[in-house]
Amino acid sequence: TSESSGVFSLIMFGFIALCIMYVYGTLLTSANDIRFLNVLAGIGVAGNIILNFILIPEYKTMGAVLATLVTQFFVCMTQMIRAHSLFKLKWNQTEVIRLIIFIISSSICILFLRFDSMNWILNLGMVTLASLTFAFVTGLYKISNFRSLLSK
């Protein structure tokens, strides 16, 4: 249905937070910061339940999507801040700007390619191709990296 395709296209934004959480969660695990990760996971679960109770009665499925996205991005940002603090990582302004441009460009692409207007496999392929193009254009992924990957 059109409602489920709208919900699916929005929940896909949570994949961004999920990928970032894998990277920073691994860093924090390597530093043996398991207690922090467990407490943060508990806060995330509690926050998600509370947001679901608040948002679902009024906004139904979209309320659940919003609760999930807010929770995932909160946990993601908290892990990023903790890892940068713990490892004394510096924020590279240029890289952050490139990443923001990439996320916005990919998000706009996803929003314009409605999943109910075409075959979903075709849409997935188009979004993947567009995201790879944005990664190359913003310099997040360099052609030399692609070549070295192919040569292995």
Side-chain angles (χ1 to χ4, degrees), residues 71-95:
T71 303
Q72 285 184 335
F73 278 97
F74 167 76
V75 171
C76 170
M77 294 303 295
T78 305
Q79 283 185 2
M80 286 175 70
I81 291 167
R82 176 69 170 206
H84 278 262
S85 170
L86 193 63
F87 289 99
K88 296 182 181 24
L89 301 173
K90 299 201 187 294
W91 295 93
N92 183 332
Q93 252 185 336
T94 306
E95 290 298 315

PDB file of all heavy atoms in Angstrom, residues 71-95:
ATOM      1  N   THR A  71      15.227   7.533  18.549  1.00  0.00           N
ATOM      2  CA  THR A  71      16.020   6.669  19.433  1.00  0.00           C
ATOM      3  C   THR A  71      17.334   6.269  18.785  1.00  0.00           C
ATOM      4  O   THR A  71      18.405   6.362  19.398  1.00  0.00           O
ATOM      5  CB  THR A  71      15.219   5.409  19.819  1.00  0.00           C
ATOM      6  OG1 THR A  71      13.996   5.807  20.429  1.00  0.00           O
ATOM      7  CG2 THR A  71      16.008   4.534  20.761  1.00  0.00           C
ATOM      8  N   GLN A  72      17.276   5.824  17.534  1.00  0.00           N
ATOM      9  CA  GLN A  72      18.494   5.378  16.859  1.00  0.00           C
ATOM     10  C   GLN A  72      19.499   6.518  16.701  1.00  0.00           C
ATOM     11  O   GLN A  72      20.695   6.334  16.933  1.00  0.00           O
ATOM     12  CB  GLN A  72      18.172   4.767  15.497  1.00  0.00           C
ATOM     13  CG  GLN A  72      17.572   3.393  15.606  1.00  0.00           C
ATOM     14  CD  GLN A  72      17.334   2.754  14.257  1.00  0.00           C
ATOM     15  OE1 GLN A  72      17.177   3.416  13.252  1.00  0.00           O
ATOM     16  NE2 GLN A  72      17.309   1.440  14.247  1.00  0.00           N
ATOM     17  N   PHE A  73      19.034   7.697  16.305  1.00  0.00           N
ATOM     18  CA  PHE A  73      19.970   8.805  16.140  1.00  0.00           C
ATOM     19  C   PHE A  73      20.496   9.317  17.479  1.00  0.00           C
ATOM     20  O   PHE A  73      21.638   9.760  17.565  1.00  0.00           O
ATOM     21  CB  PHE A  73      19.358   9.933  15.292  1.00  0.00           C
ATOM     22  CG  PHE A  73      19.466   9.649  13.819  1.00  0.00           C
ATOM     23  CD1 PHE A  73      18.419   9.109  13.119  1.00  0.00           C
ATOM     24  CD2 PHE A  73      20.661   9.887  13.147  1.00  0.00           C
ATOM     25  CE1 PHE A  73      18.535   8.823  11.765  1.00  0.00           C
ATOM     26  CE2 PHE A  73      20.791   9.611  11.803  1.00  0.00           C
ATOM     27  CZ  PHE A  73      19.721   9.070  11.111  1.00  0.00           C
ATOM     28  N   PHE A  74      19.692   9.227  18.535  1.00  0.00           N
ATOM     29  CA  PHE A  74      20.187   9.598  19.866  1.00  0.00           C
ATOM     30  C   PHE A  74      21.315   8.664  20.294  1.00  0.00           C
ATOM     31  O   PHE A  74      22.375   9.118  20.736  1.00  0.00           O
ATOM     32  CB  PHE A  74      19.042   9.554  20.895  1.00  0.00           C
ATOM     33  CG  PHE A  74      19.533   9.610  22.313  1.00  0.00           C
ATOM     34  CD1 PHE A  74      19.969  10.816  22.858  1.00  0.00           C
ATOM     35  CD2 PHE A  74      19.593   8.466  23.096  1.00  0.00           C
ATOM     36  CE1 PHE A  74      20.449  10.865  24.164  1.00  0.00           C
ATOM     37  CE2 PHE A  74      20.065   8.506  24.398  1.00  0.00           C
ATOM     38  CZ  PHE A  74      20.495   9.718  24.929  1.00  0.00           C
ATOM     39  N   VAL A  75      21.086   7.357  20.161  1.00  0.00           N
ATOM     40  CA  VAL A  75      22.112   6.381  20.542  1.00  0.00           C
ATOM     41  C   VAL A  75      23.355   6.563  19.668  1.00  0.00           C
ATOM     42  O   VAL A  75      24.492   6.542  20.162  1.00  0.00           O
ATOM     43  CB  VAL A  75      21.561   4.937  20.447  1.00  0.00           C
ATOM     44  CG1 VAL A  75      22.662   3.907  20.618  1.00  0.00           C
ATOM     45  CG2 VAL A  75      20.465   4.724  21.491  1.00  0.00           C
ATOM     46  N   CYS A  76      23.150   6.780  18.386  1.00  0.00           N
ATOM     47  CA  CYS A  76      24.255   6.985  17.448  1.00  0.00           C
ATOM     48  C   CYS A  76      25.112   8.188  17.851  1.00  0.00           C
ATOM     49  O   CYS A  76      26.336   8.084  17.950  1.00  0.00           O
ATOM     50  CB  CYS A  76      23.679   7.178  16.046  1.00  0.00           C
ATOM     51  SG  CYS A  76      24.848   7.729  14.816  1.00  0.00           S
ATOM     52  N   MET A  77      24.464   9.319  18.075  1.00  0.00           N
ATOM     53  CA  MET A  77      25.208  10.531  18.429  1.00  0.00           C
ATOM     54  C   MET A  77      25.909  10.369  19.780  1.00  0.00           C
ATOM     55  O   MET A  77      27.031  10.842  19.959  1.00  0.00           O
ATOM     56  CB  MET A  77      24.264  11.748  18.461  1.00  0.00           C
ATOM     57  CG  MET A  77      23.684  12.100  17.105  1.00  0.00           C
ATOM     58  SD  MET A  77      24.926  12.427  15.853  1.00  0.00           S
ATOM     59  CE  MET A  77      25.696  13.877  16.491  1.00  0.00           C
ATOM     60  N   THR A  78      25.263   9.700  20.725  1.00  0.00           N
ATOM     61  CA  THR A  78      25.876   9.489  22.036  1.00  0.00           C
ATOM     62  C   THR A  78      27.126   8.622  21.911  1.00  0.00           C
ATOM     63  O   THR A  78      28.159   8.915  22.536  1.00  0.00           O
ATOM     64  CB  THR A  78      24.855   8.857  23.005  1.00  0.00           C
ATOM     65  OG1 THR A  78      23.684   9.672  23.042  1.00  0.00           O
ATOM     66  CG2 THR A  78      25.432   8.744  24.398  1.00  0.00           C
ATOM     67  N   GLN A  79      27.056   7.565  21.103  1.00  0.00           N
ATOM     68  CA  GLN A  79      28.240   6.727  20.883  1.00  0.00           C
ATOM     69  C   GLN A  79      29.353   7.518  20.195  1.00  0.00           C
ATOM     70  O   GLN A  79      30.526   7.365  20.556  1.00  0.00           O
ATOM     71  CB  GLN A  79      27.881   5.506  20.030  1.00  0.00           C
ATOM     72  CG  GLN A  79      27.173   4.426  20.770  1.00  0.00           C
ATOM     73  CD  GLN A  79      26.960   3.194  19.903  1.00  0.00           C
ATOM     74  OE1 GLN A  79      27.381   3.134  18.748  1.00  0.00           O
ATOM     75  NE2 GLN A  79      26.295   2.206  20.457  1.00  0.00           N
ATOM     76  N   MET A  80      28.989   8.345  19.230  1.00  0.00           N
ATOM     77  CA  MET A  80      30.007   9.144  18.538  1.00  0.00           C
ATOM     78  C   MET A  80      30.718  10.076  19.513  1.00  0.00           C
ATOM     79  O   MET A  80      31.950  10.154  19.521  1.00  0.00           O
ATOM     80  CB  MET A  80      29.364   9.972  17.412  1.00  0.00           C
ATOM     81  CG  MET A  80      28.962   9.175  16.202  1.00  0.00           C
ATOM     82  SD  MET A  80      28.087  10.181  14.983  1.00  0.00           S
ATOM     83  CE  MET A  80      29.411  11.226  14.398  1.00  0.00           C
ATOM     84  N   ILE A  81      29.958  10.772  20.320  1.00  0.00           N
ATOM     85  CA  ILE A  81      30.532  11.720  21.276  1.00  0.00           C
ATOM     86  C   ILE A  81      31.422  10.986  22.275  1.00  0.00           C
ATOM     87  O   ILE A  81      32.537  11.427  22.577  1.00  0.00           O
ATOM     88  CB  ILE A  81      29.412  12.520  21.982  1.00  0.00           C
ATOM     89  CG1 ILE A  81      28.742  13.457  20.971  1.00  0.00           C
ATOM     90  CG2 ILE A  81      29.949  13.287  23.181  1.00  0.00           C
ATOM     91  CD1 ILE A  81      27.436  14.068  21.454  1.00  0.00           C
ATOM     92  N   ARG A  82      30.951   9.841  22.774  1.00  0.00           N
ATOM     93  CA  ARG A  82      31.738   9.074  23.741  1.00  0.00           C
ATOM     94  C   ARG A  82      33.057   8.589  23.131  1.00  0.00           C
ATOM     95  O   ARG A  82      34.122   8.698  23.739  1.00  0.00           O
ATOM     96  CB  ARG A  82      30.914   7.885  24.242  1.00  0.00           C
ATOM     97  CG  ARG A  82      31.633   6.956  25.168  1.00  0.00           C
ATOM     98  CD  ARG A  82      31.919   7.599  26.511  1.00  0.00           C
ATOM     99  NE  ARG A  82      32.398   6.585  27.448  1.00  0.00           N
ATOM    100  CZ  ARG A  82      32.268   6.667  28.742  1.00  0.00           C
ATOM    101  NH1 ARG A  82      31.683   7.714  29.281  1.00  0.00           N
ATOM    102  NH2 ARG A  82      32.734   5.727  29.513  1.00  0.00           N
ATOM    103  N   ALA A  83      32.990   8.046  21.910  1.00  0.00           N
ATOM    104  CA  ALA A  83      34.198   7.527  21.260  1.00  0.00           C
ATOM    105  C   ALA A  83      35.180   8.652  20.962  1.00  0.00           C
ATOM    106  O   ALA A  83      36.390   8.496  21.173  1.00  0.00           O
ATOM    107  CB  ALA A  83      33.837   6.790  19.966  1.00  0.00           C
ATOM    108  N   HIS A  84      34.687   9.785  20.498  1.00  0.00           N
ATOM    109  CA  HIS A  84      35.581  10.905  20.211  1.00  0.00           C
ATOM    110  C   HIS A  84      36.234  11.414  21.489  1.00  0.00           C
ATOM    111  O   HIS A  84      37.410  11.790  21.483  1.00  0.00           O
ATOM    112  CB  HIS A  84      34.828  12.025  19.488  1.00  0.00           C
ATOM    113  CG  HIS A  84      34.702  11.789  18.023  1.00  0.00           C
ATOM    114  ND1 HIS A  84      35.540  12.353  17.097  1.00  0.00           N
ATOM    115  CD2 HIS A  84      33.845  11.017  17.310  1.00  0.00           C
ATOM    116  CE1 HIS A  84      35.208  11.956  15.888  1.00  0.00           C
ATOM    117  NE2 HIS A  84      34.168  11.141  15.988  1.00  0.00           N
ATOM    118  N   SER A  85      35.483  11.400  22.580  1.00  0.00           N
ATOM    119  CA  SER A  85      36.033  11.829  23.857  1.00  0.00           C
ATOM    120  C   SER A  85      37.044  10.815  24.392  1.00  0.00           C
ATOM    121  O   SER A  85      38.141  11.189  24.825  1.00  0.00           O
ATOM    122  CB  SER A  85      34.891  12.012  24.854  1.00  0.00           C
ATOM    123  OG  SER A  85      35.381  12.202  26.144  1.00  0.00           O
ATOM    124  N   LEU A  86      36.703   9.552  24.353  1.00  0.00           N
ATOM    125  CA  LEU A  86      37.542   8.491  24.895  1.00  0.00           C
ATOM    126  C   LEU A  86      38.852   8.336  24.118  1.00  0.00           C
ATOM    127  O   LEU A  86      39.925   8.197  24.709  1.00  0.00           O
ATOM    128  CB  LEU A  86      36.766   7.171  24.875  1.00  0.00           C
ATOM    129  CG  LEU A  86      37.325   6.002  25.656  1.00  0.00           C
ATOM    130  CD1 LEU A  86      37.379   6.327  27.144  1.00  0.00           C
ATOM    131  CD2 LEU A  86      36.449   4.779  25.424  1.00  0.00           C
ATOM    132  N   PHE A  87      38.780   8.375  22.797  1.00  0.00           N
ATOM    133  CA  PHE A  87      39.958   8.186  21.954  1.00  0.00           C
ATOM    134  C   PHE A  87      40.630   9.497  21.560  1.00  0.00           C
ATOM    135  O   PHE A  87      41.590   9.501  20.805  1.00  0.00           O
ATOM    136  CB  PHE A  87      39.593   7.397  20.681  1.00  0.00           C
ATOM    137  CG  PHE A  87      39.290   5.961  20.943  1.00  0.00           C
ATOM    138  CD1 PHE A  87      37.980   5.521  21.053  1.00  0.00           C
ATOM    139  CD2 PHE A  87      40.313   5.041  21.104  1.00  0.00           C
ATOM    140  CE1 PHE A  87      37.692   4.187  21.288  1.00  0.00           C
ATOM    141  CE2 PHE A  87      40.034   3.707  21.349  1.00  0.00           C
ATOM    142  CZ  PHE A  87      38.724   3.286  21.441  1.00  0.00           C
ATOM    143  N   LYS A  88      40.065  10.607  22.046  1.00  0.00           N
ATOM    144  CA  LYS A  88      40.577  11.944  21.726  1.00  0.00           C
ATOM    145  C   LYS A  88      40.669  12.150  20.206  1.00  0.00           C
ATOM    146  O   LYS A  88      41.668  12.639  19.675  1.00  0.00           O
ATOM    147  CB  LYS A  88      41.913  12.192  22.408  1.00  0.00           C
ATOM    148  CG  LYS A  88      41.794  12.188  23.922  1.00  0.00           C
ATOM    149  CD  LYS A  88      43.080  12.482  24.612  1.00  0.00           C
ATOM    150  CE  LYS A  88      42.996  12.464  26.100  1.00  0.00           C
ATOM    151  NZ  LYS A  88      41.986  11.741  26.783  1.00  0.00           N
ATOM    152  N   LEU A  89      39.603  11.740  19.536  1.00  0.00           N
ATOM    153  CA  LEU A  89      39.519  11.895  18.083  1.00  0.00           C
ATOM    154  C   LEU A  89      39.134  13.331  17.761  1.00  0.00           C
ATOM    155  O   LEU A  89      38.317  13.937  18.438  1.00  0.00           O
ATOM    156  CB  LEU A  89      38.469  10.936  17.499  1.00  0.00           C
ATOM    157  CG  LEU A  89      38.697   9.458  17.761  1.00  0.00           C
ATOM    158  CD1 LEU A  89      37.493   8.654  17.274  1.00  0.00           C
ATOM    159  CD2 LEU A  89      39.955   8.987  17.063  1.00  0.00           C
ATOM    160  N   LYS A  90      39.733  13.846  16.734  1.00  0.00           N
ATOM    161  CA  LYS A  90      39.421  15.214  16.316  1.00  0.00           C
ATOM    162  C   LYS A  90      38.366  15.165  15.219  1.00  0.00           C
ATOM    163  O   LYS A  90      38.353  14.267  14.388  1.00  0.00           O
ATOM    164  CB  LYS A  90      40.678  15.904  15.809  1.00  0.00           C
ATOM    165  CG  LYS A  90      41.754  16.011  16.873  1.00  0.00           C
ATOM    166  CD  LYS A  90      42.735  17.102  16.517  1.00  0.00           C
ATOM    167  CE  LYS A  90      43.900  17.132  17.435  1.00  0.00           C
ATOM    168  NZ  LYS A  90      43.718  17.467  18.766  1.00  0.00           N
ATOM    169  N   TRP A  91      37.494  16.150  15.237  1.00  0.00           N
ATOM    170  CA  TRP A  91      36.483  16.277  14.195  1.00  0.00           C
ATOM    171  C   TRP A  91      37.112  17.021  13.022  1.00  0.00           C
ATOM    172  O   TRP A  91      37.563  18.144  13.172  1.00  0.00           O
ATOM    173  CB  TRP A  91      35.271  17.056  14.704  1.00  0.00           C
ATOM    174  CG  TRP A  91      34.526  16.364  15.801  1.00  0.00           C
ATOM    175  CD1 TRP A  91      34.723  16.526  17.139  1.00  0.00           C
ATOM    176  CD2 TRP A  91      33.492  15.400  15.662  1.00  0.00           C
ATOM    177  NE1 TRP A  91      33.863  15.720  17.834  1.00  0.00           N
ATOM    178  CE2 TRP A  91      33.090  15.018  16.955  1.00  0.00           C
ATOM    179  CE3 TRP A  91      32.851  14.822  14.566  1.00  0.00           C
ATOM    180  CZ2 TRP A  91      32.089  14.094  17.186  1.00  0.00           C
ATOM    181  CZ3 TRP A  91      31.853  13.901  14.814  1.00  0.00           C
ATOM    182  CH2 TRP A  91      31.483  13.541  16.106  1.00  0.00           C
ATOM    183  N   ASN A  92      37.175  16.400  11.881  1.00  0.00           N
ATOM    184  CA  ASN A  92      37.673  17.033  10.668  1.00  0.00           C
ATOM    185  C   ASN A  92      36.490  17.725  10.003  1.00  0.00           C
ATOM    186  O   ASN A  92      35.594  17.079   9.470  1.00  0.00           O
ATOM    187  CB  ASN A  92      38.289  15.984   9.737  1.00  0.00           C
ATOM    188  CG  ASN A  92      38.879  16.578   8.495  1.00  0.00           C
ATOM    189  OD1 ASN A  92      38.458  17.623   8.026  1.00  0.00           O
ATOM    190  ND2 ASN A  92      39.863  15.895   7.938  1.00  0.00           N
ATOM    191  N   GLN A  93      36.496  19.073  10.041  1.00  0.00           N
ATOM    192  CA  GLN A  93      35.362  19.840   9.534  1.00  0.00           C
ATOM    193  C   GLN A  93      35.041  19.512   8.087  1.00  0.00           C
ATOM    194  O   GLN A  93      33.877  19.373   7.720  1.00  0.00           O
ATOM    195  CB  GLN A  93      35.644  21.342   9.657  1.00  0.00           C
ATOM    196  CG  GLN A  93      34.838  21.993  10.722  1.00  0.00           C
ATOM    197  CD  GLN A  93      35.070  23.497  10.719  1.00  0.00           C
ATOM    198  OE1 GLN A  93      36.081  24.003  10.260  1.00  0.00           O
ATOM    199  NE2 GLN A  93      34.117  24.217  11.258  1.00  0.00           N
ATOM    200  N   THR A  94      36.051  19.367   7.254  1.00  0.00           N
ATOM    201  CA  THR A  94      35.832  19.073   5.844  1.00  0.00           C
ATOM    202  C   THR A  94      35.138  17.735   5.670  1.00  0.00           C
ATOM    203  O   THR A  94      34.192  17.611   4.895  1.00  0.00           O
ATOM    204  CB  THR A  94      37.175  19.070   5.080  1.00  0.00           C
ATOM    205  OG1 THR A  94      37.843  20.309   5.324  1.00  0.00           O
ATOM    206  CG2 THR A  94      36.969  18.882   3.605  1.00  0.00           C
ATOM    207  N   GLU A  95      35.587  16.729   6.415  1.00  0.00           N
ATOM    208  CA  GLU A  95      34.975  15.401   6.322  1.00  0.00           C
ATOM    209  C   GLU A  95      33.534  15.426   6.831  1.00  0.00           C
ATOM    210  O   GLU A  95      32.665  14.766   6.260  1.00  0.00           O
ATOM    211  CB  GLU A  95      35.793  14.367   7.091  1.00  0.00           C
ATOM    212  CG  GLU A  95      37.116  14.039   6.460  1.00  0.00           C
ATOM    213  CD  GLU A  95      36.979  13.417   5.070  1.00  0.00           C
ATOM    214  OE1 GLU A  95      36.133  12.525   4.884  1.00  0.00           O
ATOM    215  OE2 GLU A  95      37.727  13.837   4.172  1.00  0.00           O
TER     216      GLU A  95
END
